[in-house]
Amino acid sequence: MDRRLLYEGKSKSIYEGDNDSTYVMEFRNSATAGNGAKKAELEGKGELNASISAVIYDYLAKNGIETHLIKMIDATHALVKKTEIVPVEVIIRNTAAGSFSQKYGVSEGTPLKNTVVEFSLKSDELGDPMINETQITAIGLAGKEEIDEMVRQALTINGLLRALFDRSGIILVDFKLEFGRYEGRIILADEITPDSCRLWDKQTGKKLDKDRFRRDLGDVMGAYTEVFTRLTDEK
Ligand code: TMP
């Protein structure tokens, strides 16, 4: 790709786009966990994640959610709207797992009585610390109305994704979203993939997400392939 590289993240790269209002986002095979402490190259991950994210973003767009995705250029490159990323990750949880289970002593798999919404400061340097609404507005990372809009969209997306995955026999345990500012609006950016979600098989509880990499459970790409196959079989 002979485009100018603008930013290299842990598993994606951003290149200049076709004009001033677009970027090209590349999904790479790199996998990291523990804020970069564990690293690997997983053959085929870039292509699988690009495909899974595209299927999900198309589904969300059809259901009224504006996303940054314009179109896929090839198997690992997406043309996207150039947004100014809000430096706050929005995490939605339906079932206790991961850092929530650890932090609050709630066994993994415990259903939550209501949907949990969390925010993390997007900062590799600081290890993405949890941050609350008053802290976000106090530092000026986002305004109150922007936070409300991100939460509103995240909850709508949760409902849509739970239904989509449920039809594929998958439980959406939790996931992380990023939003960007675009022409005065807040729109969904980044990716939705098994890297950014916890996905469990409804029948067996088998983990079909990045926890297979984080926890050395093996067959990471087999699980990602399974997610893609089930999502596309459903359509
Ligand atoms: P956590 O349980 O580690 O806080 O993760 C919650 C969800 O958010 C899980 O689906 C993984 C996702 N996530 C990311 O995509 N990127 C991150 O940097 C973190 C911390 C979590």
Side-chain angles (χ1 to χ4, degrees):
M1 167 122 320
D2 53 359
R3 295 174 185 266
R4 194 159 64 91
L5 178 67
L6 302 175
Y7 171 77
E8 186 140 286
K10 292 195 287 266
S11 65
K12 295 191 301 296
S13 302
I14 300 291
Y15 297 86
E16 66 185 1
D18 292 342
N19 53 50
D20 276 354
S21 59
T22 58
Y23 287 136
V24 170
M25 189 169 85
E26 179 189 28
F27 292 79
R28 307 199 317 271
N29 289 338
S30 325
T32 67
N35 199 21
K38 180 172 172 177
K39 285 185 196 161
E41 287 295 304
L42 301 176
E43 188 64 36
K45 182 168 88 79
E47 202 167 324
L48 271 170
N49 273 358
S51 307
I52 291 168
S53 205
V55 168
I56 292 175
Y57 276 33
D58 283 348
Y59 163 79
L60 292 176
K62 281 195 192 101
N63 285 279
I65 302 289
E66 183 176 7
T67 83
H68 73 160
L69 179 64
I70 299 169
K71 62 171 185 178
M72 293 306 295
I73 298 174
D74 62 25
T76 54
H77 294 87
L79 185 68
V80 301
K81 295 170 189 163
K82 183 191 262 186
T83 66
E84 180 197 345
I85 292 288
V86 178
V88 171
E89 300 181 338
V90 181
I91 291 162
I92 298 290
R93 300 181 191 271
N94 298 306
T95 303
S99 71
F100 184 92
S101 289
Q102 284 197 334
K103 213 174 286 174
Y104 305 114
V106 182
S107 306
E108 278 211 329
T110 307
L112 297 168
K113 293 185 198 299
N114 54 263
T115 307
V116 169
V117 182
E118 293 175 9
F119 306 106
S120 293
L121 172 64
K122 230 176 106 64
S123 166
D124 289 342
E125 246 179 14
L126 300 173
D128 294 350
M130 209 169 176
I131 191 165
N132 73 26
E133 190 172 324
T134 62
Q135 292 168 323
I136 293 169
T137 53
I139 307 172
L141 301 173
K144 166 92 174 84
E145 282 179 10
E146 289 181 319
I147 298 172
D148 289 348
E149 179 60 17
M150 291 194 292
V151 170
R152 191 189 66 76
Q153 289 193 34
L155 293 175
T156 305
I157 291 166
N158 185 41
L160 290 167
L161 292 187
R162 282 179 90 167
L164 177 74
F165 283 116
D166 186 67
R167 288 199 290 277
S168 301
I170 292 172
I171 299 169
L172 178 61
V173 172
D174 57 31
F175 59 101
K176 183 263 304 178
L177 299 175
E178 294 185 25
F179 291 90
R181 301 181 178 102
Y182 182 77
E183 296 181 347
R185 304 188 296 281
I186 290 285
I187 69 169
L188 181 65
D190 197 51
E191 65 174 317
I192 299 180
T193 66
D195 277 6
S196 64
C197 302
R198 283 197 174 90
L199 304 168
W200 296 352
D201 181 90
K202 211 156 69 174
Q203 301 298 331
T204 65
K206 184 182 173 187
K207 297 184 195 320
L208 301 171
D209 57 64
K210 197 173 155 186
D211 274 346
R212 301 206 71 80
F213 173 71
R214 295 187 190 98
R215 303 179 187 186
D216 294 319
L217 299 175
D219 196 24
V220 184
M221 284 306 93
Y224 283 40
T225 304
E226 174 96 30
V227 170
F228 177 67
T229 308
R230 289 207 208 173
L231 282 176
T232 46
D233 275 357
E234 197 46 48
K235 294 255 149 65

